[in-house]
C-alpha cells in the first residue's frame, strides 16, 4: 500500500435502502434518500390562489347571496284592515240629457270665428268629438250638442232655430258653417259663428240633411210655442181687469 492510500479518507459507498418485509420502495422513500421531503398534495382552487376575474366574481356573488339570506327580514303576515266608510251606492252623473233622445251622431271638428282688437278675423279650433242632435221627449225641440273628446267639455250647445242658415265652406267640400244667435256652451247665451268639418263629402251631405230636418221640426215646435205664449198673455190680460173689478165691488160694498 502506498502513502497516498493511507492519507486519503475512506468514503463509504451509499447503498440503496433495501425493501423491508418484501415491500417495494415508494417515491417518498426515494426522495428521502436524497434529502427531499414527501410530495405535497394538490390543494383546492382557493388554496392555489385562483384569483382570476370569473372565479373571484363567483365567490363574491355567493358570499353576497349568503349575506342577503342571513340579513333578510322574516316574512310578515298578510294584515287586512276594514275600511271605515263603505261606498255602497254608486254616484250618478247628471248630464242634463236624461229627458232627451239622440237622433243623430257624427264625429267632427268644430271651429269658431273670432276677431281681434284690430278687426282681423280667423277660425280657431273649438274642439274635436261627437256632434249630436238631441230631441226632447216632451216638447219635441231639438238642440245641437257637441262635447270634446276625453274631457267631455261642452263646445257647442244651442237650438237649430228657423232663422238660422247653413252654408258650405268655400275652402272645403266637407265643411259647413252657420250663425248662432244664442249658444250657451260657456254658460251665458252669446252670438257666435261656427263651422264643422267631417271626414268626407258623404258625411258632409248626411250632416246637412240632419241639420235641415232638425230645423224643420223645430220650426213647427217654436211656432206652436209662440202660439201658446200669445194665448197665455191674452188670457192674463183679460183676467187682470176682472180681478180689479172684483176689488172695486168689494170696496164699495163694504
Amino acid at each position: 500500500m502506498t502513502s497516498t492510500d493511507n492519507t486519503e479518507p475512506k468514503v463509504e459507498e451509499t447503498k440503496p435502502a433495501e425493501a423491508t418485509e418484501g415491500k417495494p420502495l415508494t417515491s417518498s422513500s426515494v426522495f428521502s434518500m436524497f434529502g427531499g421531503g414527501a410530495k405535497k398534495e394538490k390543494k383546492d382552487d382557493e388554496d392555489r390562489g385562483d384569483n382570476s376575474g370569473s372565479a373571484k366574481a363567483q365567490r363574491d356573488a355567493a358570499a353576497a347571496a349568503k349575506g342577503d339570506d342571513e340579513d333578510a327580514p322574516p316574512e310578515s303576515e298578510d294584515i287586512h284592515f276594514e275600511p271605515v266608510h263603505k261606498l255602497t251606492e254608486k254616484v250618478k252623473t247628471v248630464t242634463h240629457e236624461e229627458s232627451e233622445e239622440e237622433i243623430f251622431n257624427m264625429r267632427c271638428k268644430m271651429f269658431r270665428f273670432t276677431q281681434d282688437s284690430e278687426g282681423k278675423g280667423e277660425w280657431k279650433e273649438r274642439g274635436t268629438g261627437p256632434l249630436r242632435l238631441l230631441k226632447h221627449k216632451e216638447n219635441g225641440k231639438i238642440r245641437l250638442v257637441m262635447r270634446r273628446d276625453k274631457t267631455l267639455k261642452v263646445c257647442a250647445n244651442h237650438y237649430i232655430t228657423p232663422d238660422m242658415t247653413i252654408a258650405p265652406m268655400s275652402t272645403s267640400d266637407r265643411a259647413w258653417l252657420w250663425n248662432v244667435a244664442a249658444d250657451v256652451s260657456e254658460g251665458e247665451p252669446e252670438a257666435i259663428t261656427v263651422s264643422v268639418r267631417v271626414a268626407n263629402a258623404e258625411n258632409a251631405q248626411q250632416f246637412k240633411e240632419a241639420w235641415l230636418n232638425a230645423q224643420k221640426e223645430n220650426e213647427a215646435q217654436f211656432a206652436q210655442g209662440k202660439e201658446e205664449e200669445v194665448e197665455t198673455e191674452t188670457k192674463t190680460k183679460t183676467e187682470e181687469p176682472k180681478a180689479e173689478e172684483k176689488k172695486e165691488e168689494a170696496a164699495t160694498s163694504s
Side-chain angles (χ1 to χ4, degrees):
M1 181 178 294
T2 61
S3 60
T4 58
D5 295 335
N6 294 330
T7 57
E8 290 180 358
K10 295 181 179 181
V11 179
E12 296 182 357
E13 296 179 358
T14 304
K15 297 180 179 181
E18 298 180 355
T20 57
E21 298 180 1
K23 296 181 179 180
L25 294 175
T26 61
S27 59
S28 60
S29 302
V30 175
F31 277 98
S32 63
M33 291 171 58
F34 293 96
K39 294 179 75 176
K40 296 182 180 180
E41 298 180 357
K42 293 183 179 180
K43 297 183 179 180
D44 297 333
D45 293 341
E46 295 181 0
D47 295 338
R48 284 185 297 151
D50 188 0
N51 293 325
S52 62
S54 60
K56 186 175 181 181
Q58 292 177 0
R59 290 197 299 271
D60 294 343
K66 185 177 180 181
D68 293 341
D69 295 340
E70 293 178 356
D71 298 338
E75 295 183 359
S76 60
E77 297 180 358
D78 186 10
I79 303 175
H80 176 70
F81 294 96
E82 289 292 335
V84 178
H85 299 286
K86 293 184 178 181
L87 300 177
T88 56
E89 297 182 0
K90 294 182 179 180
V91 179
K92 187 177 180 180
T93 304
V94 179
T95 61
H96 302 288
E97 300 174 3
E98 290 76 15
S99 59
E100 298 170 310
E101 60 178 347
E102 181 183 297
I103 60 175
F104 181 80
N105 188 327
M106 181 175 288
R107 182 176 176 81
C108 64
K109 181 177 289 187
M110 178 171 282
F111 299 87
R112 177 178 177 176
F113 188 78
T114 59
Q115 288 183 330
D116 56 13
S117 58
E118 297 179 357
K120 295 181 180 180
E122 63 176 341
W123 290 100
K124 289 187 177 181
E125 184 176 340
R126 186 79 167 165
T128 302
L131 185 149
R132 299 175 298 152
L133 298 178
L134 305 177
K135 184 176 182 179
H136 201 277
K137 297 178 182 179
E138 295 181 2
N139 57 30
K141 292 181 180 180
I142 301 173
R143 65 175 178 142
L144 185 148
V145 177
M146 180 174 172
R147 295 179 182 270
R148 297 184 180 93
D149 288 336
K150 296 181 181 179
T151 61
L152 301 180
K153 186 177 180 180
V154 178
C155 56
N157 182 12
H158 56 264
Y159 287 107
I160 302 177
T161 57
D163 57 338
M164 294 168 58
T165 303
I166 187 169
M169 292 282 291
S170 59
T171 57
S172 176
D173 62 344
R174 54 192 179 96
W176 301 96
L177 66 89
W178 63 91
N179 296 320
V180 184
D183 184 89
V184 293
S185 57
E186 298 293 337
E188 295 295 330
E190 59 177 338
I192 60 174
T193 301
V194 297
S195 67
V196 295
R197 187 175 63 202
V198 295
N200 49 54
E202 183 180 356
N203 286 358
Q205 189 62 30
Q206 293 178 5
F207 176 82
K208 180 184 178 182
E209 293 176 359
W211 195 96
L212 291 175
N213 291 334
Q215 186 184 42
K216 187 176 181 180
E217 291 189 30
N218 278 345
E219 186 176 1
Q221 299 299 330
F222 277 87
Q224 183 179 355
K226 286 182 179 180
E227 291 178 359
E228 293 177 355
E229 289 179 1
V230 171
E231 291 178 359
T232 303
E233 290 178 1
T234 305
K235 187 177 181 180
T236 304
K237 290 179 180 179
T238 55
E239 289 179 353
E240 287 179 355
K242 292 181 180 180
E244 291 179 359
E245 290 177 359
K246 289 181 179 180
K247 288 182 180 179
E248 291 177 358
E249 291 178 357
T252 54
S253 61
S254 59

